Amino acid sequence: AKATNALGDIRMAARGFANITKQFPNSPLRLEAAYDEADAWSKLRDWPQVIELLGVPTGAFQTAARAAEPGNEFASSGMLLLSKAYLEENDPAEGETILRGMSTAGLSPEVAWERQYMLCRLALAQNKVEAAEADATNLTATAQNLGARTRGMSMALKGEILERRGKLPEALACYTNNLMDDRLPQTI
């Protein structure tokens, strides 16, 4: 019963955010509300609804995102979520198109890393392993100053890519170096 209530709460939240975008089209919070509505639907794994909310050029999200400053947190998070929705709906090519067309001006290092990570996943989903390897080089470089978890995720994905390319010694080195990251706290 608790899970059902939580799902109902998420649906109610999504509807509340939708009301904000419809009733207050000139609100400075419209972009945030449009993103939050799509994010709520993503928690319900309703990917077609997420695509509808974030992808329609004349919709609340796209309209507000075009008017936002470069690097706006909600605009960039929305584009990342839209690309994930396309990946979940087995249309990774469209997700890649979204991210390749996304402006990188003003992105925080964390969002720039998320973009590179998603580009690698989208390329792998399309079996474009060489492109994924090129993106992984940028991914690991972007991750260098973002913490152990981000570096670890980057190296694990790069190892997977190298493994799929048949570069087993390089993949093994990636995995091994990932486990022995000297920047992680050492415990005995």
Side-chain angles (χ1 to χ4, degrees):
K2 189 171 187 160
T4 303
N5 288 341
L7 296 177
D9 290 346
I10 293 171
R11 284 185 183 90
M12 194 163 37
R15 289 184 192 106
F17 293 126
N19 286 336
I20 292 170
T21 62
K22 289 175 185 142
Q23 293 178 8
F24 304 99
N26 296 321
S27 170
L29 299 176
R30 187 175 193 215
L31 178 58
E32 181 178 353
Y35 168 76
D36 286 341
E37 179 185 3
D39 188 46
W41 289 111
S42 78
K43 288 174 178 37
L44 297 170
R45 303 190 58 74
D46 189 338
W47 302 114
Q49 180 68 9
V50 171
I51 291 168
E52 177 73 20
L53 291 168
L54 298 177
V56 174
T58 57
F61 174 78
Q62 288 289 333
T63 302
R66 281 191 300 274
E69 295 290 320
N72 177 283
E73 169 190 0
F74 297 106
S76 53
S77 294
M79 300 308 276
L80 286 164
L81 183 56
L82 179 58
S83 70
K84 180 179 180 179
Y86 278 115
L87 178 63
E88 294 291 336
E89 285 295 296
N90 297 314
D91 191 355
E94 186 61 30
E96 182 179 8
T97 298
I98 298 292
L99 290 187
R100 297 253 182 238
M102 179 180 165
S103 172
T104 58
L107 293 182
S108 70
E110 293 80 10
V111 173
W113 177 83
E114 286 181 53
R115 180 180 173 275
Q116 283 300 134
Y117 188 83
M118 185 58 72
L119 283 169
C120 288
R121 289 186 57 206
L122 291 162
L124 278 179
Q126 297 172 77
N127 208 28
K128 294 167 44 177
V129 188
E130 287 180 31
E133 185 177 3
D135 284 330
T137 300
N138 294 332
L139 177 70
T140 55
T142 303
Q144 286 308 305
N145 297 315
L146 294 180
R149 181 176 183 276
T150 305
R151 286 191 310 274
M153 288 175 64
S154 301
M155 293 303 287
L157 184 57
K158 185 174 183 179
E160 178 185 346
I161 293 164
L162 291 168
E163 195 173 339
R164 285 199 35 196
R165 293 260 327 198
K167 298 180 176 182
L168 299 180
E170 292 94 335
L172 182 60
C174 244
Y175 294 137
T176 303
N177 290 340
N178 197 18
L179 293 172
M180 299 175 59
D181 187 339
D182 63 355
R183 292 169 285 199
L184 295 175
Q186 300 298 315
T187 58
I188 297 179

